[in-house]
C-alpha cells in the first residue's frame, strides 16, 4: 500500500517535468535563479532509486539546458538526511558519463587532464516538516590535497506562498498545492475547511493555471495537462472522504479540461451531422420512392395506351 501511495506522487512529478520547454525552463529559472530563454533546448537524463519500501524517493532527474548546463532535481515526500549521499552519487555518475578530456602543457610535457562537470542539484520537498534544512552539506576529504564542501540546497514547497510560486513562474508545481490542506482535512472536515479546499482549487490552482496561461508562462497543452494531473491528485488525496462528495462533483466539473469540452462538442457536432445525413437520406429515399411510383404509373399508362391501339 505504501509503495502505491508514493508511486502516485512519483508519477505526478514525472508527468510534470516533460511539459513544454517554456514551462520547464521557467521552473529551472525559478529554482536556480537563472535566466534562460524559454525556447531553450532541454535534454532529459532520468535516473532511478528505490529504498526497501519506496517511501522516500519520488523521482530523480537531470536536465541539460542547451546541451551545456545541467541541473539535478530530486523530489521528496519525507525528510531524508541521507539524501545528500545519493544526490552526490547521481551527480558523480552524470559527471563521469560527460567528463571533459583535454591535453595540458606543463614542465614534464603534454599530459591528459579531465574535468568532471557535476550538475547543479536541488531537492524539492513536498512534505511539511520542521526539521527540513535549507541546505545539506557534505565534506569531501582529499587528504593532503585538502577538503571541499559539497552543498545541496532544498526547496520547501509547502512553505512557499502561492504569490511566490507565481512570481517565480513555477506554475508546473501547482497540482501539489493540494497537499497544503491534506493534514488539516485529515483531522477535521468541517464547513470552514471544506470551503478552504474549494477556494484552493478554484482560485489558487485553476486561477493560477489560467493566469499563467494568459501571461504565456505555460502553453494551452500545459494548462490542460496540469488540470488533469490536479484532478488525479485530488482523487487520490480527497475523494474517499464522504464529506467531500459534493465538492468532488464540483471539482470534476471545474477541472474539466478544455480538450474534454472540445471532444464533447465534437461528438455533438458529429451526432448532429449524422442526424442531418440520415434525414437527407430519408428525403432522398422518399423522393426515389415517389419517382418509382410515378414511373410505375407512367408505365401503366403506356401499357394501357398500347393495349388500346392494338384493339
Amino acid at each position: 500500500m505504501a509503495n502505491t501511495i508514493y508511486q502516485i506522487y512519483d508519477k505526478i512529478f514525472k508527468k510534470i517535468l516533460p511539459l513544454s520547454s517554456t514551462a520547464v525552463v521557467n521552473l529551472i529559472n525559478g529554482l536556480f535563479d537563472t535566466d534562460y530563454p524559454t525556447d531553450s533546448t532541454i535534454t532529459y537524463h532520468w535516473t532511478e532509486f528505490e529504498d526497501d519500501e519506496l517511501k522516500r524517493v519520488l523521482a530523480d532527474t537531470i536536465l541539460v539546458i542547451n546541451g551545456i548546463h545541467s541541473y539535478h532535481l530530486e523530489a521528496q515526500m519525507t525528510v531524508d538526511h541521507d539524501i545528500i549521499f545519493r544526490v552526490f552519487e547521481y551527480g558523480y555518475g552524470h559527471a563521469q558519463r560527460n567528463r571533459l578530456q583535454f591535453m595540458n602543457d606543463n614542465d614534464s610535457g603534454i599530459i591528459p587532464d579531465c574535468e568532471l562537470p557535476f550538475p547543479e542539484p536541488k531537492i524539492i520537498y513536498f512534505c511539511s516538516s520542521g526539521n527540513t534544512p535549507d541546505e545539506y552539506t557534505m565534506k569531501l576529504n582529499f587528504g593532503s590535497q585538502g577538503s571541499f564542501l559539497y552543498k545541496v540546497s532544498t526547496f520547501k514547497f509547502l512553505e512557499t506562498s502561492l504569490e511566490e510560486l507565481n512570481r517565480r513562474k513555477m506554475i508546473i508545481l501547482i497540482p501539489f498545492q493540494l497537499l497544503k490542506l491534506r493534514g488539516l482535512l485529515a483531522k477535521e472536515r468541517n464547513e470552514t475547511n471544506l470551503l478552504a479546499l474549494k477556494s484552493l482549487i478554484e482560485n489558487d490552482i485553476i486561477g493560477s493555471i489560467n493566469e499563467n496561461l494568459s501571461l504565456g508562462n505555460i502553453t494551452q497543452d500545459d494548462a490542460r495537462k496540469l488540470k488533469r494531473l490536479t484532478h488525479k491528485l485530488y482523487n487520490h488525496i480527497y475523494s474517499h472522504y464522504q464529506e467531500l462528495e459534493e465538492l468532488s462533483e464540483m471539482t470534476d466539473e471545474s477541472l474539466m479540461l478544455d480538450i474534454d469540452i472540445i471532444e464533447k462538442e465534437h461528438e455533438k457536432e458529429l451526432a448532429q451531422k449524422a442526424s442531418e445525413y440520415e434525414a437527407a437520406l430519408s428525403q432522398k429515399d422518399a423522393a426515389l420512392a415517389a419517382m418509382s411510383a410515378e414511373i410505375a404509373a407512367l408505365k401503366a399508362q403506356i401499357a394501357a395506351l398500347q393495349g388500346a391501339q392494338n384493339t
Side-chain angles (χ1 to χ4, degrees):
M1 180 65 179
N3 289 9
T4 303
I5 291 174
Y6 284 94
Q7 285 174 353
I8 290 172
Y9 295 109
D10 178 24
K11 289 178 181 178
I12 296 293
F13 188 69
K14 287 181 178 178
K15 291 287 186 182
I16 282 172
L17 289 180
L19 293 182
S20 72
S21 62
T22 297
V24 177
V25 169
N26 279 330
L27 175 66
I28 295 296
N29 287 338
L31 283 173
F32 296 95
D33 197 25
T34 52
D35 191 25
Y36 294 110
T38 54
D39 60 351
S40 297
T41 301
I42 303 174
T43 306
Y44 293 87
H45 299 266
W46 300 95
T47 57
E48 296 290 341
F49 178 88
E50 296 179 7
D51 66 2
D52 293 338
E53 297 182 358
L54 228 180
K55 64 180 182 180
R56 293 193 180 93
V57 179
L58 295 183
D60 184 81
T61 309
I62 294 176
L63 296 83
V64 180
I65 308 296
N66 296 326
I68 302 174
H69 306 287
S70 57
Y71 296 91
H72 179 182
L73 304 182
E74 182 159 327
Q76 291 284 121
M77 279 301 296
T78 58
V79 175
D80 178 7
H81 295 308
D82 290 331
I83 192 173
I84 188 170
F85 299 106
R86 205 159 54 245
V87 171
F88 177 80
E89 180 184 356
Y90 290 152
Y92 173 74
H94 177 79
Q96 189 178 41
R97 289 189 297 272
N98 296 274
R99 63 185 181 272
L100 305 174
Q101 291 184 302
F102 48 89
M103 305 306 290
N104 189 29
D105 274 320
N106 61 22
D107 294 338
S108 59
I110 300 176
I111 61 172
D113 279 346
C114 71
E115 178 181 325
L116 294 178
F118 271 66
E120 185 74 23
K122 181 79 70 174
I123 301 169
I124 303 173
Y125 273 112
F126 289 115
C127 59
S128 179
S129 175
N131 63 344
T132 305
D134 296 328
E135 183 180 73
Y136 288 101
T137 302
M138 180 170 66
K139 186 176 183 179
L140 303 176
N141 190 334
F142 295 99
S144 61
Q145 297 185 52
S147 300
F148 175 80
L149 292 181
Y150 176 72
K151 299 179 180 181
V152 180
S153 61
T154 64
F155 176 75
K156 305 173 189 178
F157 179 80
L158 293 183
E159 296 180 20
T160 305
S161 68
L162 177 66
E163 292 74 21
E164 183 68 5
L165 283 176
N166 283 317
R167 186 187 69 80
R168 294 163 71 173
K169 301 179 183 180
M170 298 167 62
I171 182 62
I172 64 175
L173 297 180
I174 202 67
F176 290 98
Q177 197 79 0
L178 287 169
L179 293 170
K180 293 207 165 186
L181 294 179
R182 182 181 60 168
L184 183 65
L185 284 161
K187 293 179 180 178
E188 187 175 7
R189 291 174 293 282
N190 55 34
E191 185 177 357
T192 299
N193 293 343
L194 296 182
L195 289 175
L197 179 59
K198 181 178 180 180
S199 176
L200 178 77
I201 294 169
E202 292 181 337
N203 301 320
D204 295 4
I205 297 179
I206 299 177
S208 293
I209 291 174
N210 293 337
E211 179 182 358
N212 280 269
L213 174 61
S214 65
L215 292 173
N217 297 331
I218 55 175
T219 67
Q220 181 71 54
D221 190 50
D222 291 335
R224 292 168 182 156
K225 289 178 179 178
L226 287 172
K227 290 179 182 179
R228 188 182 298 278
L229 292 172
T230 300
H231 190 251
K232 288 183 178 180
L233 196 55
Y234 172 85
N235 283 336
H236 166 69
I237 299 174
Y238 298 114
S239 64
H240 61 285
Y241 292 129
Q242 185 176 358
E243 297 91 337
L244 295 180
E245 287 182 358
E246 183 177 344
L247 183 59
S248 295
E249 293 178 4
M250 177 277 295
T251 303
D252 287 341
E253 291 187 13
S254 61
L255 288 173
M256 181 179 289
L257 309 178
D258 296 338
I259 190 63
D260 294 333
I261 296 173
I262 292 172
E263 287 175 354
K264 289 181 181 293
E265 291 178 348
H266 185 55
E267 290 174 359
K268 290 180 180 179
E269 184 180 347
L270 289 177
Q272 180 64 28
K273 288 183 178 179
S275 178
E276 293 174 355
Y277 182 70
E278 289 178 0
L281 283 178
S282 297
Q283 290 178 354
K284 289 181 179 180
D285 289 341
L288 286 173
M291 290 178 62
S292 296
E294 187 176 350
I295 290 171
L298 289 173
K299 285 182 177 180
Q301 292 178 8
I302 293 171
L305 289 173
Q306 289 177 341
Q309 288 176 353
N310 292 335
T311 58

